[in-house]
Amino acid sequence: MLETKAVIIIDMLNDFVTGKIAAERAKRIIPSLKKLINAARESNVTVVYSNDAHYPQDAEVVRKWGKHAIKGTKGAEVIPELQPAEKDYVVEKRTYSGFYETGLDPLLRSLNKGDGVKTVILGGLHTNMCVRHTAADAFFRGYKIIIASDGCEAFTQKEHEEGLRYLEYVYNAKIMTVDEIVKEFK
Ligand code: ZN
């Protein structure tokens, strides 16, 4: 059977995990994301990395967070523990949503022999920001959404939990653990 899901890993980059705007809590999702990514690769579920790759003049940099994940710098690279494999895809973005003026939607629609994927499984940072905005754009485009509850984090527990609740309430996202998600791959 052709797989109609894709895993999207959001902003697991050096600057977000150990660098300029690091969240201490980001580190604890690394093992579950590793498990999710490896299981996806083994089951031929496409893995897409949705990565900030900012120009210094981007609105988000200038007006909000300061310099982070600047295109071409070490800070914009995926953390060593979760390096993309050869058959994975890397799609750069310049603000919170992985879809906003990027090639993500055409990529997802080209998969599954051109029938496209139907469900996106989101993990990474942050539950209440880039995951949320990527989920919004996925919802607008008709994708079903699964959120890896132990594969997302935010700056605080409160932000993470509120983020999950919002995703469930507004985008009808299914909140699942990585173990539950992976079981459905087999
Ligand atoms: Zn950014």
Side-chain angles (χ1 to χ4, degrees):
M1 202 189 86
L2 290 168
E3 193 46 72
T4 61
K5 290 175 183 159
V7 168
I8 302 177
I9 303 297
I10 300 164
D11 283 339
M12 287 304 287
L13 313 178
N14 289 321
D15 270 349
F16 287 87
V17 180
T18 52
K20 292 209 171 99
I21 52 170
E24 188 52 39
R25 305 169 58 85
K27 287 194 187 114
R28 50 197 212 186
I29 60 174
I30 296 172
S32 38
L33 285 178
K34 203 176 235 175
K35 189 170 188 180
L36 176 63
I37 290 166
N38 286 337
R41 286 174 186 152
E42 278 166 27
S43 308
N44 286 317
V45 173
T46 300
V47 177
V48 183
Y49 289 79
S50 173
N51 295 344
D52 256 6
H54 283 300
Y55 294 144
Q57 71 270 29
D58 284 350
E60 204 197 90
V61 171
V62 175
R63 298 193 205 140
K64 178 64 195 170
W65 299 102
K67 277 194 180 171
H68 68 279
I70 301 295
K71 188 177 166 70
T73 66
K74 192 96 191 142
E77 288 173 14
V78 173
I79 58 169
E81 297 91 331
L82 299 177
Q83 281 294 302
E86 204 168 325
K87 66 172 186 172
D88 298 340
Y89 295 88
V90 177
V91 180
E92 295 183 348
K93 63 188 179 72
R94 287 178 59 200
T95 192
Y96 303 122
S97 169
F99 286 91
Y100 185 72
E101 298 189 355
T102 73
L104 181 58
D105 191 43
L107 167 65
L108 295 175
R109 283 190 278 112
S110 74
L111 299 172
N112 193 19
K113 299 203 163 151
D115 286 339
V117 301
K118 309 298 174 205
T119 303
V120 290
I121 299 164
L122 306 183
L125 300 167
H126 301 85
T127 320
N128 60 330
M129 289 185 268
C130 290
V131 175
R132 171 169 162 173
H133 286 89
T134 301
D137 271 333
F139 182 83
F140 302 153
R141 288 165 176 78
Y143 295 98
K144 289 182 187 153
I145 300 158
I146 294 172
I147 305 290
S149 55
D150 55 342
C152 294
E153 260 305 349
F155 285 118
T156 66
Q157 177 72 17
K158 186 169 177 280
E159 287 182 3
H160 173 62
E161 282 172 8
E162 284 174 359
L164 289 180
R165 273 200 297 276
Y166 187 95
L167 291 162
E168 191 172 35
Y169 182 52
V170 180
Y171 309 125
N172 209 21
K174 232 169 148 180
I175 312 295
M176 299 170 74
T177 64
V178 164
D179 282 338
E180 289 168 344
I181 293 168
V182 163
K183 238 177 254 164
E184 292 190 354
F185 287 167
K186 315 278 173 195

